[in-house]
Amino acid sequence: MAKILQSLMVATALALPLSVMTAKSVLAEALGFNIINKTRTNITQFYTNPTGIDSWGEDILGIDILRPGESALITIRDSQNVCTYDIKAVFDDGEESIKYKVNLCTLENFTFND
């Protein structure tokens, strides 16, 4: 029984640095996810910011718009080494949708609904 516990402790000790390295490698890479517009209104502007920063920065969509039913791949390369971001969409009717503390390291799709 003692040998089994010792083997388990060694396996856990070896796996721990691997999980830390994996988390750091995710943070070092660009963050990518899809935004999906399931509203009845065009998304005319889209912003992301690491949670806790007060300014939104530049509109990621630029001159593009995201029509109802469309999706777009968003890639963030800001070297912030964080996963938690606030995201903001502005619609052509002036309405805004802001979501706080979104984990972009695990996010694949983010859908805007009416």
Side-chain angles (χ1 to χ4, degrees):
M1 180 72 161
K3 285 188 178 191
I4 293 173
L5 285 175
Q6 184 178 14
S7 296
L8 184 59
M9 288 176 15
V10 169
T12 302
L14 292 174
L16 197 58
L18 181 60
S19 65
V20 171
M21 286 185 343
T22 302
K24 285 187 177 184
S25 66
V26 167
L27 290 174
E29 297 175 8
L31 300 172
F33 61 97
N34 293 301
I35 57 171
I36 303 165
N37 184 0
K38 287 194 176 179
T39 70
R40 290 173 270 166
T41 310
N42 295 331
I43 296 175
T44 57
Q45 298 169 36
F46 184 77
Y47 303 91
T48 64
N49 244 4
T51 296
I53 295 180
D54 291 334
S55 67
W56 286 105
E58 293 184 34
D59 171 19
I60 294 173
L61 292 179
I63 62 170
D64 295 324
I65 62 169
L66 195 62
R67 291 180 175 79
E70 292 184 338
S71 64
L73 175 63
I74 302 296
T75 303
I76 300 172
R77 291 185 180 92
D78 63 6
S79 68
Q80 292 292 319
N81 288 335
V82 298
C83 288
T84 307
Y85 280 72
D86 300 335
I87 60 175
K88 174 182 172 181
V90 180
F91 298 89
D92 64 4
D93 62 1
E95 291 292 317
E96 296 181 351
S97 177
I98 300 174
K99 305 296 180 191
Y100 298 99
K101 298 182 182 178
V102 179
N103 185 341
L104 298 187
C105 290
T106 60
L107 185 71
E108 292 182 27
N109 297 306
F110 190 90
T111 303
F112 291 96
N113 295 296
D114 282 328

